[in-house]
C-alpha cells in the first residue's frame, strides 16, 4: 500500500508553476500540509511578498534560505576554475543553482519529517533531473512529486487559467509569459517568440541585468581583477567577498552590454531548445580567469584541462554535481590552480571584454625567449632544425614509401 502523504516540502519560487502547485497538492493529496522552501540565490525582487503569497495560497510556512555565499563559493567558483561551459557558450547559470537549492530542501524536509518533496519542473526540461539527482544523493528513499508529469494542465496558458480560477496573484500576463530563471550569476529567457530560432531577440525589451551592446556607453570601462589560486578576491585593488564581487562585475558588465548569449542547446532529455541568457559578471570573470591561466599554466596542463572542462560542463548541465567523478575532477582542477595568482586588467566596451594586461608572480611567459628582437643567446634557433627533422620524421617516411609504391 502506498504511503499516505501528510506533509510535503515544495521547492517554491513564487513563479507560475509553483504558485499553483500549493493548492493543487492540497486538492490531490487529501489537504496535506505544504511547507514551501525558497533558496535565495540572488533573485532579489522576486522574493518580495513571497511569504504572504505562499501562506495565502495554502502553505503552512515558508522558508527563505540565504544560499548566496554557498552558491558562489561552492558551485560557481569550482565550475569557473574548471573553465566549464556547456556546448561552448552557456555559462551554466540555472544548472548549478539547482543542486545548492535542492540540497537545502532535503535538509529542511528531513528536519520537518516530510513524506515527500515536490518540484515544479516540467517533464521536458533539465531541472527535473538536477533536482531529483540531488534528492537521491541525500535522501534516496524520499518520495518525489512532480505535478507536470501527472496533472491535466497542458500549457502555461492553462496554468494561468488555473491561477485565475483559484484567485492566485501572478506577476506575469499572457503577453509577458516568458519562462525565466534569475540568480546572482544570470538571467535566462525562454518561450513565446524565443521558441523559434528564426526570431531575433528584442534585447532592448527583454534585457534586465543590463543594456544591449548598442545602448552601452561610447567610452570603455577598465577594471583589474586579482586572483588567488584561481579565485577572484579583489577588483581595482579593493578586496571583496564573493557576493559583493559578483554583484560589482554584474553592474559593470550590465552597464556595458556584456554577457548576452542566444543559443539552441541540446537538452539532456533529447530535444533542442532555444534560450537567451544574460550573464554579465560571469562573462567578465571567465574571460579574466582564462587570460590569467594563459600565462600561468604549461601547455600540456592547459590543453588537458580544456578537455576536462568539456566533461565538467556536461556534468553540471546534466545535474551530476554530487558524484565521485565531479569531486575527482575538482581535485585535478584545484591542483592546476595552485599557480593561477595574479592580476588581469580588462577593457570592457559595448559587449566586448578585452585583454588590457596580465601579470603574475608565477608567469611562464619569458620575454627574453619569445622576443622578435635580439635574444642574447637565450634561444638557439639552430635547435629547431633537429626538432623539425624528428617531429616530421613520420611524414617524411610515409612520403618516401608512397613514392616507392608509385614506381
Amino acid at each position: 500500500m502506498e504511503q499516505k502523504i501528510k506533509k510535503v516540502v515544495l521547492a517554491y519560487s513564487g513563479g507560475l508553476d509553483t504558485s499553483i502547485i500549493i493548492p493543487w497538492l492540497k486538492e490531490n493529496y487529501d489537504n496535506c500540509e505544504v511547507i514551501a522552501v525558497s533558496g535565495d540565490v540572488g533573485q532579489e525582487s522576486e522574493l518580495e511578498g513571497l511569504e504572504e503569497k505562499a501562506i495565502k495560497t495554502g502553505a503552512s510556512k515558508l522558508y527563505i534560505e540565504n544560499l548566496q555565499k554557498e552558491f558562489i563559493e561552492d558551485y560557481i567558483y569550482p565550475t569557473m576554475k574548471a573553465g566549464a561551459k556547456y556546448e561552448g557558450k552557456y555559462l551554466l547559470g540555472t544548472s548549478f543553482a539547482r543542486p545548492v537549492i535542492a540540497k537545502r530542501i532535503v535538509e529542511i524536509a528531513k528536519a520537518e519529517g516530510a513524506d515527500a518533496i515536490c518540484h515544479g519542473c516540467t517533464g521536458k526540461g533539465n531541472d527535473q533531473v538536477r533536482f531529483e539527482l540531488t534528492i537521491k544523493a541525500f535522501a534516496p528513499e524520499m518520495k518525489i512529486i512532480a505535478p507536470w508529469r501527472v496533472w491535466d494542465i497542458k500549457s502555461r496558458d492553462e496554468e494561468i487559467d488555473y491561477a485565475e480560477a483559484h484567485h492566485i496573484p501572478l506577476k506575469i500576463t499572457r503577453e509577458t509569459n516568458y519562462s525565466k530563471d534569475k540568480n546572482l550569476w544570470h538571467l535566462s529567457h525562454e518561450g513565446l517568440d524565443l521558441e523559434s530560432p528564426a526570431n531575433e531577440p528584442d534585447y532592448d525589451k527583454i534585457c534586465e541585468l543590463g543594456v544591449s551592446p548598442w545602448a552601452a556607453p561610447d567610452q570603455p570601462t577598465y577594471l583589474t581583477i586579482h586572483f588567488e589560486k584561481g579565485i577572484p578576491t579583489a577588483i581595482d585593488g579593493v578586496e571583496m567577498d564573493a557576493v559583493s564581487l559578483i554583484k560589482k562585475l554584474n553592474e559593470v558588465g550590465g552597464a556595458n552590454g556584456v554577457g548576452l548569449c542566444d543559443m539552441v542547446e541540446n537538452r539532456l532529455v533529447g530535444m533542442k531548445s532555444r534560450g537567451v541568457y544574460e550573464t554579465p559578471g560571469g562573462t567578465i570573470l571567465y574571460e579574466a580567469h582564462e587570460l590569467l591561466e594563459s600565462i600561468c599554466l604549461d601547455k600540456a596542463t592547459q590543453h588537458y584541462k580544456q578537455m576536462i572542462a568539456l566533461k565538467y560542463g556536461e556534468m553540471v548541465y546534466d545535474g551530476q554535481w554530487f558524484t565521485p567523478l565531479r569531486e575527482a575532477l575538482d581535485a585535478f582542477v584545484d591542483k592546476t590552480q595552485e599557480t593561477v595568482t595574479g592580476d588581469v586588467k580588462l577593457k570592457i566596451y559595448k559587449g566586448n571584454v578585452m585583454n588590457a594586461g596580465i601579470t603574475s608572480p608565477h608567469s611562464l611567459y619569458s620575454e627574453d625567449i619569445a622576443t622578435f628582437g635580439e635574444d642574447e643567446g637565450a634561444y638557439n634557433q639552430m635547435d629547431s632544425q633537429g626538432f623539425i627533422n624528428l617531429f616530421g620524421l613520420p611524414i617524411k617516411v610515409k612520403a618516401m614509401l608512397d613514392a616507392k609504391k608509385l614506381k
Side-chain angles (χ1 to χ4, degrees):
M1 184 177 178
E2 188 173 353
Q3 170 195 9
K4 181 175 174 60
I5 304 297
K6 297 179 180 178
K7 185 184 290 190
V8 179
V9 169
L10 169 66
Y12 184 72
S13 69
L16 178 57
D17 297 315
T18 57
S19 291
I20 68 172
I21 282 175
I22 294 176
W24 183 87
L25 284 170
K26 298 183 78 68
E27 287 174 3
N28 288 273
Y29 288 90
D30 196 23
N31 200 34
C32 64
E33 180 183 359
V34 179
I35 297 170
V37 179
S38 294
D40 178 3
V41 286
Q43 301 94 310
E44 297 177 332
S45 61
E46 293 180 11
L47 298 172
E48 294 174 6
L50 222 53
E51 183 174 13
E52 180 185 356
K53 179 178 178 179
I55 292 174
K56 191 174 181 180
T57 52
S60 62
K61 67 176 82 168
L62 170 69
Y63 288 87
I64 297 181
E65 301 292 292
N66 189 340
L67 304 172
Q68 294 187 31
K69 184 175 183 291
E70 181 183 354
F71 176 42
I72 298 173
E73 293 181 350
D74 296 347
Y75 297 81
I76 290 178
Y77 282 173
T79 306
M80 182 272 299
K81 287 192 297 182
K85 302 174 186 178
Y86 185 65
E87 297 186 335
K89 296 177 70 175
Y90 174 41
L91 298 186
L92 300 162
T94 299
S95 308
F96 48 31
R98 296 309 182 232
V100 65
I101 294 171
K103 180 173 178 283
R104 185 66 185 126
I105 288 171
V106 170
E107 292 167 355
I108 290 172
K110 287 182 174 181
E112 288 281 356
D115 304 306
I117 291 174
C118 178
H119 64 73
C121 309
T122 75
K124 289 184 176 181
N126 303 302
D127 279 345
Q128 58 182 334
V129 182
R130 297 163 185 159
F131 269 110
E132 294 187 30
L133 292 191
T134 301
I135 294 168
K136 291 180 186 300
F138 293 100
E141 305 303 322
M142 181 70 69
K143 180 175 177 58
I144 298 171
I145 300 173
W148 264 107
R149 298 177 196 158
V150 296
W151 62 15
D152 297 328
I153 296 171
K154 298 292 190 294
S155 67
R156 288 177 69 83
D157 265 351
E158 289 186 12
E159 285 187 291
I160 294 174
D161 292 338
Y162 184 98
E164 290 173 347
H166 289 75
H167 308 290
I168 299 170
L170 299 173
K171 293 183 179 179
I172 60 169
T173 66
R174 294 178 196 273
E175 291 73 35
T176 62
N177 186 22
Y178 288 107
S179 176
K180 299 182 182 182
D181 178 70
K182 182 181 180 183
N183 58 47
L184 273 168
W185 190 245
H186 90 156
L187 174 63
S188 65
H189 309 263
E190 293 180 316
L192 297 181
D193 56 307
L194 299 178
E195 288 193 342
S196 171
N199 294 331
E200 178 185 6
D202 185 348
Y203 288 116
D204 292 316
K205 173 185 173 184
I206 68 174
C207 282
E208 295 180 32
L209 300 187
V211 300
S212 63
W214 45 90
D218 292 330
Q219 297 298 319
T221 298
Y222 285 89
L223 61 79
T224 300
I225 303 175
H226 179 73
F227 289 84
E228 289 285 339
K229 295 185 177 181
I231 298 293
T233 60
I235 297 176
D236 293 332
V238 179
E239 291 193 8
M240 296 183 177
D241 62 83
V243 175
S244 299
L245 189 140
I246 295 296
K247 287 183 176 180
K248 175 65 176 177
L249 292 179
N250 278 337
E251 179 185 316
V252 174
N256 287 279
V258 169
L260 297 180
C261 172
D262 176 9
M263 67 182 292
V264 174
E265 66 200 58
N266 291 292
R267 283 184 178 174
L268 175 59
V269 295
M271 70 185 72
K272 291 182 181 291
S273 68
R274 198 270 191 94
V276 174
Y277 302 103
E278 300 178 60
T279 320
T283 300
I284 294 173
L285 203 54
Y286 261 70
E287 180 65 21
H289 182 257
E290 288 175 7
L291 285 169
L292 186 56
E293 283 191 324
S294 73
I295 66 170
C296 294
L297 299 185
D298 65 274
K299 175 185 173 181
T301 301
Q302 187 176 1
H303 287 192
Y304 196 83
K305 186 173 176 289
Q306 288 169 350
M307 293 192 294
I308 292 296
L310 179 64
K311 181 61 179 178
Y312 201 112
E314 288 179 346
M315 292 185 70
V316 176
Y317 188 86
D318 293 348
Q320 296 176 307
W321 188 269
F322 298 106
T323 59
L325 178 54
R326 199 273 307 167
E327 292 177 1
L329 293 181
D330 269 352
F332 168 80
V333 170
D334 285 345
K335 180 65 180 176
T336 70
Q337 300 300 289
E338 288 180 356
T339 59
V340 185
T341 293
D343 293 285
V344 181
K345 185 178 181 181
L346 300 167
K347 182 178 183 178
I348 301 170
Y349 180 68
K350 291 189 177 294
N352 296 289
V353 182
M354 293 167 280
N355 177 20
I358 325 165
T359 58
S360 170
H362 305 296
S363 176
L364 299 177
Y365 182 87
S366 171
E367 193 170 342
D368 290 340
I369 293 178
T371 181
F372 282 98
E374 188 175 346
D375 59 21
E376 298 181 352
Y379 182 85
N380 185 348
Q381 298 204 24
M382 276 300 296
D383 288 345
S384 62
Q385 180 176 333
F387 165 74
I388 295 170
N389 287 338
L390 293 177
F391 189 64
L393 184 60
I395 297 173
K396 180 179 179 180
V397 170
K398 183 177 185 303
M400 292 169 62
L401 293 175
D402 287 347
K404 277 187 178 181
K405 292 176 186 175
L406 294 175
K407 288 182 179 178

